[in-house]
Amino acid sequence: MKTRSIAVLAVSFVTLAACDGMKEALTAHVDVVAKAGDRELSVDRLSDLLGNSTLQIPVTRETAGLVADLWSGYQLLAVAAAHGDSIVDPKLIDEATQGITASMRLRRYMEGVSGTLKREPASEATYTQATGGLFVARHILFSFPGGASQEQRDSVKKRAQAIRSQVTAANFGAMAKRYSGDPGSAARDGDLGPFERAEMVKPFGDAVAALHPGDISGLVETQFGYHIIQRPMYAAAKALYDERYNGTIGQKAESIYVAGVEDAARISVRSSASADVKAAARNFSQHRSDKDVLATFRDGSLTLGRFVRWVEMMPPQARIAQQIQQQPDSIVRQFVRSITRNEVLLKKADSAGVAITPEEQTQLRAEFKNALMGLWAQLGLDPASISEGAKSVPEREKIAAERVEALLDRVMSGQAQAIQVPTPAHSVLALMYSAKTMSTGLDRVVERASKMRASADSMRLANQPKTQVPLPGAPPAPSADGKSAKQP
């Protein structure tokens, strides 16, 4: 909590927050992990899902939170389906998709900037001078066998020397196809394509850099074996080289521009930023409107809420929340700085009048609604099917909620695939029907589910058939007549 300038307001705020926290701690919330609308996910229910899952997923706070989020998203979709609510309020959709529209505007702004940046296009001169450290090369590899002795290495070298004496610019491709131990490049006449010097192991990169276009090296030794390397003429490498060079130079020009913008903005990440972000990462959805400042820059700041909006637009497979909690503070601060840089650039986009068009906004809203209907269909929550035989909203809510619980059982037993509810959809539904995850509940789930898992593992081991193979030092098993059987 941040210090306020008016002491009375500060005391009032702290007192209210403390009362709310005490109220949650002393009420039935300790037995609840999550709420979605009027539905609750109990500690016992989630403990059972995790502890008895046949998938044997790790029982950790992270996995408990992921399953709770899955339940919350499904239940919110169920409530919306029961109400037949397709979410037509454009303001809610626009609120939920702020991160998407911000990313669109930022990308459009950078595309415009890129077109104005000065850069030298690919040419024979840039190729010859290796401008930007970019090279093209072909090679023939005489590879070492695994664990090669010095005698074997000498044998490989002797063979490579014999072949080198026959290699010319005219037959290099054919010789690579015939002799190279690198099957990937051998199929392309030894061609490795464009690469930066640092991308290769040092002896290879140094050897390529020492060649002029058209030159063929002597034997170059690396940990992979002996190489014969050719740096082809520009005409032969032009197509691939030009594409890579122009892209690389463009990226470098943009990086220089962005670095200049960052310096001019005088970004300052607050010392508390890492702790604030790590705490929020336990449940990002509850911090979308958080006004705590993580970093400042000239004429602006990055709040925790804005940070969350950017993170929500990142691919789920990146597992940003988990990464944040596992990384050292220095890395988290760097990440906060990079998001702050996005904010700075977005302000420049605003100043330049970069915006999405009304047509794009309409399309985005339509895509959002279509995605919601698609989720209903995938999860068996189509409003029409829920309405069959149900006359009232409460009846439909009950049917939809029961379907969610049955689906979650199938997911946790491996009978159905988990379908992630996209963050924008989850966010807008939470705004409509409210949703919350209780931190204390997650901790209790991990404790109970761990005991369940340990008990189930012990029972499984106890029920395994006993081995009939005598263990070393064990007494002989009794025979049918009660006497000890003889060992073979």
Side-chain angles (χ1 to χ4, degrees):
M1 187 175 296
K2 301 296 183 289
T3 303
R4 305 288 181 179
S5 57
I6 304 177
V8 175
L9 288 178
V11 172
S12 300
F13 187 79
V14 171
T15 303
L16 287 172
C19 289
D20 288 343
M22 184 65 72
K23 187 185 298 181
E24 180 173 317
L26 294 177
T27 61
H29 284 306
V30 294
D31 293 320
V32 175
V33 183
K35 295 186 70 175
D38 293 331
R39 298 290 164 178
E40 293 184 344
L41 176 63
S42 70
V43 167
D44 287 343
R45 169 66 170 152
L46 184 51
S47 298
D48 182 68
L49 285 169
L50 274 177
N52 296 318
S53 173
T54 57
L55 299 178
Q56 292 292 299
I57 60 178
V59 179
T60 64
R61 201 177 192 286
E62 177 185 339
T63 53
L66 290 172
V67 177
D69 284 345
L70 200 65
W71 175 90
S72 175
Y74 289 177
Q75 287 291 3
L76 287 171
L77 282 166
V79 175
H83 285 257
D85 196 335
S86 60
I87 309 181
V88 295
D89 187 342
K91 290 183 179 179
L92 281 177
I93 297 176
D94 294 349
E95 164 71 15
T97 55
Q98 275 188 17
I100 295 175
T101 54
S103 296
M104 291 171 64
R105 290 190 295 121
L106 182 56
R107 182 169 59 251
R108 186 162 297 167
Y109 173 71
M110 288 306 299
E111 287 172 353
V113 167
S114 181
T116 66
L117 298 177
K118 183 179 180 180
R119 69 195 87 182
E120 183 181 7
S123 65
E124 186 167 4
T126 64
Y127 180 82
T128 301
Q129 297 165 14
T131 305
L134 190 66
F135 295 88
V136 175
R138 299 197 291 176
H139 81 142
I140 304 170
L141 171 64
F142 300 88
S143 53
F144 295 137
S149 64
Q150 188 57 51
E151 184 178 358
Q152 289 174 310
R153 288 172 173 263
D154 291 342
S155 176
V156 171
K157 182 177 183 179
K158 184 176 180 180
R159 180 168 180 266
Q161 287 173 329
I163 300 300
R164 173 62 186 92
S165 64
Q166 304 171 43
V167 173
T168 65
N171 69 11
F172 195 98
M175 298 293 273
K177 278 188 187 314
R178 183 175 179 182
Y179 294 110
S180 183
D182 176 11
S185 65
R188 302 187 299 272
D189 294 343
D191 192 1
L192 294 167
F195 56 86
E196 292 187 27
R197 181 175 178 175
E199 294 175 29
M200 297 297 184
V201 293
K202 191 174 187 306
F204 191 97
D206 291 348
V208 172
L211 296 175
H212 294 98
D215 287 352
I216 299 175
S217 73
L219 298 189
V220 177
E221 183 179 2
T222 70
Q223 63 261 47
F224 304 107
Y226 286 99
H227 308 256
I228 302 172
I229 306 170
Q230 181 196 36
R231 192 174 167 205
M233 299 298 290
Y234 175 64
K238 184 180 188 309
L240 291 176
Y241 170 80
D242 286 7
E243 180 181 8
R244 172 74 183 267
Y245 176 87
N246 290 333
T248 300
I249 292 300
Q251 290 171 1
K252 289 182 177 179
E254 288 180 11
S255 295
I256 293 171
Y257 169 79
V258 169
V261 169
E262 182 176 342
D263 289 342
R266 293 188 292 211
I267 294 174
S268 176
V269 178
R270 294 197 168 174
S271 58
S272 60
S274 179
D276 291 344
V277 167
K278 286 187 175 183
R282 302 177 81 166
N283 196 332
F284 270 142
S285 62
Q286 294 183 14
H287 295 272
R288 299 181 85 249
S289 301
D290 201 315
K291 301 299 183 184
D292 285 354
V293 174
L294 300 177
T296 59
F297 54 90
R298 179 182 288 179
D299 301 326
S301 63
L302 173 71
T303 65
L304 183 54
R306 287 292 298 174
F307 176 87
V308 169
R309 300 298 178 94
W310 283 105
V311 169
E312 286 177 344
M313 294 305 105
M314 296 179 183
Q317 59 269 28
R319 300 173 71 247
I320 298 298
Q322 292 74 37
Q323 290 285 343
I324 285 173
Q325 294 182 70
Q326 295 167 4
Q327 294 296 330
D329 290 349
S330 59
I331 299 298
V332 175
R333 286 172 57 82
Q334 288 177 23
F335 184 48
V336 171
R337 188 178 187 86
S338 70
I339 297 296
T340 308
R341 186 168 58 237
N342 284 352
E343 285 285 290
V344 173
L345 291 168
L346 195 61
K347 280 189 172 292
K348 283 191 165 292
D350 291 339
S351 299
V354 176
I356 62 173
T357 65
E359 293 76 18
E360 289 172 327
Q361 189 73 68
T362 300
Q363 182 180 354
L364 189 59
R365 293 168 183 165
E367 289 175 353
F368 186 93
K369 296 174 188 175
N370 291 336
L372 185 66
M373 289 187 284
L375 284 169
W376 275 337
Q378 287 179 288
L379 299 173
L381 297 173
D382 181 68
S385 67
I386 291 173
S387 298
E388 293 177 4
K391 297 180 180 179
S392 66
V393 170
E395 288 178 316
R396 293 196 293 271
E397 286 183 341
K398 182 180 179 182
I399 292 171
E402 288 173 349
R403 289 188 185 182
V404 167
E405 297 296 347
L407 173 60
L408 206 57
D409 283 331
R410 294 197 301 274
V411 168
M412 296 303 288
S413 64
Q415 299 175 34
Q417 185 175 0
I419 299 170
Q420 293 294 330
V421 179
T423 301
H426 194 292
S427 298
V428 73
L429 288 166
L431 286 171
M432 294 177 65
Y433 300 109
S434 80
K436 187 175 183 181
T437 300
M438 286 68 173
S439 178
T440 53
L442 288 176
D443 293 332
R444 297 187 68 192
V445 164
V446 173
E447 180 183 354
R448 292 190 184 186
S450 297
K451 292 178 180 178
M452 289 181 181
R453 181 69 60 83
S455 177
D457 290 344
S458 297
M459 186 175 296
R460 186 163 45 251
L461 289 173
N463 291 333
Q464 286 182 354
K466 305 298 182 184
T467 179
Q468 300 300 313
V469 180
L471 298 176
S479 62
D481 61 3
K483 298 178 180 180
S484 294
K486 291 183 179 180
Q487 296 285 354

